[in-house]
Amino acid sequence: MLRSFWCILTRDLTLALRRRTDVLTTLFFFVIVVSLFPLGVSTEQQILRILGPGVVWVAALLASMLALERLFAADYDDGTLEQLLLTGQPLALLVLGKITAHWLLTGLPLVLIAPLVGMQYHLTDTAIGVMMIALLIGTPILSLIGAIGAALTLGLRGGGILLSLLILPLYIPVLIYGAGAIEVSVIDLSNTQPYLTLLGAFLLVALIFAPVAAAAALRISIE
Amino acid sequence: MNVNWFKFASPPAFYSLAGRLIPIFWGLTLTLLVIGLYWGFFQTTDQLGGSNPQKEYYRIIFIHVSSAWMSMWLYFVMVVWAAIGLVFNTRLSFMMAKAIAPTGAVFTFLALWTGAFWGRPSWGTYWDWDPRLTSELVLFFMYIGYIALHSAIDDIRRADRASALLAIVGLVMVPVIFWSINCPDPNQCAALHQRSNLTKIDGNILFAMLTMSLAFWMYSFAATFMRLRSLILTREAESIWVRELLTQRGEQ
């Protein structure tokens, strides 16, 4: 069972690394969206510090959502997905493998580029540290919940916009606690713990239920 | 007593049953509406509260609270039918869920809209990011998502099942969203809504409010059944009983 998980994971990673631009587009989308806000709102340090956490999280939400469309689409087009459904392995586990690969390619780069973005917003070092931790716990949740939406909208016309309509409302808790952790860390670092533990709890719940739901959604979409 | 519980799970049987029930529910709706509105306008006090009284405008409560209750209740009912559809694979349950969604969305919108007009005179603002306002808004988005997903898929069977799954995922998320909006930080928890406390409400107001809620509930039945009947006809358009029905109508 674990081997099938690894197999999917390495396969997806290899495929993606052969076409690196896809990974980079998501990353640059994130950076561009974050860079637009100071130009549109204000370049003043005080305002940027308040704006920063929320903007980074909203940009992360949008970036991970845009990348979701590709999660199953290529496999669906060339028929690989049907083969995956037909294997004797538990589908939820295979889906989890795909989600993990997706997160490593789109979520993890956001975490790593976060310090750079934080500097654009004059965030303090501790705030940047907390932001990285919060993103590290939060972005997998986005990929997990998003996978359900991606499976439901598989192969539909206008799937991308529809996906955002379905998934963004469900992202709200992650946004609130993720941005909240960074905001609180500016005042008192010890206050961030409840935010991060709650994010961790969401991650665990999503880790258990989202792959099963996404697998059920895939079966509905393919049958 | 030997009851066949699945008799009305067949579209033709339910079609005629719904046809007979619709006038009853409309009658109940109108009666309860008249009673509720009369009681709300003429049997209740003109002012509420002590030092900072709510004047006549508090009467919006009869629409506002009732539609807010109905919006949440209908989502729950929708999910139950969607789940029954997924488990038992009955066509009618999916149609039921689909028929409920627009009514639920309308009540959610109504709750938000009347809330804005109540908020303006009493809080001095149309909108605030109060927990209940935000969660009602999210509920509205979820109804819209359900309807959008259903109408985006051409294959009816897939549309039914996919949107049913979405509705169930949404129901799991509702408490999480509610609590996350409610109290991310005790200091930020400046809720404008007061806690609901039904026991402290004046008897006349409570009576009018509950009557209005019942009226809205009966309206939901009537509207859902009407939508359901047209759904059944469109989906079963190729079947023999619908054709016979149409020729009968044509002869009359």
Side-chain angles (χ1 to χ4, degrees):
Chain A
M1 262 174 46
L2 211 58
R3 266 181 58 199
S4 57
F5 173 82
W6 272 115
C7 180
I8 293 281
L9 183 62
T10 45
R11 169 187 171 273
D12 274 22
L13 286 180
T14 331
L15 275 177
L17 290 178
R18 300 240 167 97
R19 294 178 49 191
R20 279 184 211 127
T21 39
D22 279 3
V23 181
L24 289 177
T25 12
T26 316
L27 193 60
F28 277 105
F29 173 83
F30 176 71
V31 174
I32 288 174
V33 168
V34 170
S35 313
L36 284 180
F37 275 83
L39 304 177
V41 184
S42 160
T43 48
E44 219 164 297
Q45 278 203 16
Q46 284 307 315
I47 296 177
L48 284 184
R49 276 205 186 121
I50 300 170
L51 215 59
V55 169
V56 169
W57 267 102
V58 171
L61 252 57
L62 294 177
S64 91
M65 197 201 67
L66 281 181
L68 275 174
E69 245 186 303
R70 291 199 299 268
L71 180 54
F72 300 114
D75 285 352
Y76 176 66
D77 289 338
D78 66 10
T80 319
L81 206 56
E82 278 176 38
Q83 302 300 323
L84 286 183
L85 257 70
L86 291 174
T87 53
Q89 307 294 330
L91 185 59
L93 198 73
L94 303 180
V95 171
L96 185 63
K98 290 193 77 66
I99 296 172
T100 315
H102 180 261
W103 176 74
L104 286 173
L105 294 165
T106 60
L108 195 59
L110 301 191
V111 181
L112 298 177
I113 201 107
L116 207 64
V117 171
M119 280 190 272
Q120 281 188 317
Y121 280 78
H122 307 287
L123 294 180
T124 56
D125 290 349
T126 44
I128 289 178
V130 172
M131 181 161 83
M132 284 183 78
I133 298 172
L135 279 172
L136 192 67
I137 311 174
T139 44
I141 312 177
L142 304 182
S143 298
L144 284 162
I145 299 177
I148 306 173
L152 284 175
T153 56
L154 200 57
L156 300 180
R157 40 191 160 78
I161 296 184
L162 188 62
L163 181 64
S164 60
L165 206 62
L166 307 184
I167 289 304
L168 284 180
L170 306 182
Y171 278 175
I172 290 173
V174 182
L175 172 68
I176 290 177
Y177 287 104
I182 310 170
E183 269 166 35
V184 165
S185 74
V186 178
I187 306 161
D188 184 2
L189 193 60
S190 59
N191 280 346
T192 54
Q193 199 205 347
Y195 289 85
L196 297 179
T197 20
L198 270 168
L199 272 181
F202 290 160
L203 177 60
L204 290 177
V205 172
L207 206 56
I208 294 167
F209 290 110
V212 181
L218 273 183
R219 285 197 197 282
I220 290 170
S221 296
I222 299 261
E223 73 176 10
Chain B
M1 200 165 69
N2 190 11
V3 184
N4 182 5
W5 291 102
F6 292 101
K7 184 183 174 211
F8 292 111
S10 98
F14 193 80
Y15 180 84
S16 56
L17 176 73
R20 270 175 279 141
L21 287 178
I22 286 171
I24 300 174
F25 280 119
W26 273 121
L28 283 171
T29 307
L30 288 177
T31 326
L32 288 167
L33 260 185
V34 170
I35 297 173
L37 285 177
Y38 167 78
W39 214 271
F41 272 106
F42 299 108
Q43 299 292 325
T44 49
T45 50
D46 289 345
Q47 280 199 1
L48 267 190
S51 57
N52 186 15
Q54 297 241 353
K55 293 184 188 136
E56 301 279 359
Y57 57 74
Y58 85 85
R59 294 193 206 275
I60 212 165
I61 195 175
F62 303 122
I63 307 279
H64 176 69
V65 173
S66 308
S67 48
W69 279 345
M70 230 6 82
S71 68
M72 291 181 276
W73 171 242
L74 285 181
Y75 192 85
F76 179 70
V77 175
M78 187 177 94
V79 171
V80 169
W81 281 116
I84 291 177
L86 278 182
V87 174
F88 294 108
N89 222 347
T90 42
R91 283 172 298 162
L92 196 65
S93 323
F94 287 125
M95 293 189 215
M96 192 77 158
K98 182 178 156 52
I100 291 173
T103 312
V106 164
F107 275 126
T108 321
F109 184 75
L110 201 64
L112 287 167
W113 193 258
T114 53
F117 278 101
W118 195 7
R120 184 65 190 166
S122 58
W123 299 335
T125 172
Y126 285 115
W127 182 261
D128 190 80
W129 293 98
D130 169 281
R132 283 200 211 164
L133 291 179
T134 318
S135 46
E136 193 73 6
L137 184 67
V138 173
L139 187 66
F140 184 62
F141 290 154
M142 302 221 281
Y143 274 120
I144 298 295
Y146 176 90
I147 296 170
L149 182 64
H150 203 292
S151 55
I153 308 177
D154 293 328
D155 175 28
I156 287 177
R157 188 176 149 79
R158 185 184 160 189
D160 278 341
R161 297 164 66 85
S163 45
L165 188 77
L166 180 75
I168 295 171
V169 172
L171 188 70
V172 177
M173 291 297 292
V174 164
V176 179
I177 294 171
F178 180 76
W179 288 115
S180 69
I181 297 164
N182 218 350
C183 252
D185 176 351
N187 297 323
Q188 294 175 353
C189 254
L192 289 175
H193 273 91
Q194 51 185 318
R195 273 160 200 267
S196 58
N197 194 338
L198 288 180
T199 50
K200 281 190 186 163
I201 298 178
D202 173 62
N204 284 323
I205 296 177
L206 190 65
F207 176 75
M209 210 160 80
L210 292 179
T211 316
M212 287 299 286
S213 304
L214 271 179
F216 282 180
W217 196 7
M218 294 303 120
Y219 164 79
S220 309
F221 273 111
T224 305
F225 283 168
M226 285 174 79
R227 213 172 282 121
L228 192 61
R229 265 165 69 96
S230 59
L231 263 179
I232 293 177
L233 281 189
T234 6
R235 289 195 183 181
E236 308 265 305
E238 296 303 312
S239 67
I240 298 163
W241 71 270
V242 174
R243 290 208 181 146
E244 278 172 0
L245 193 80
L246 289 179
T247 43
Q248 272 173 20
R249 286 284 164 86
E251 282 162 8
Q252 276 173 11

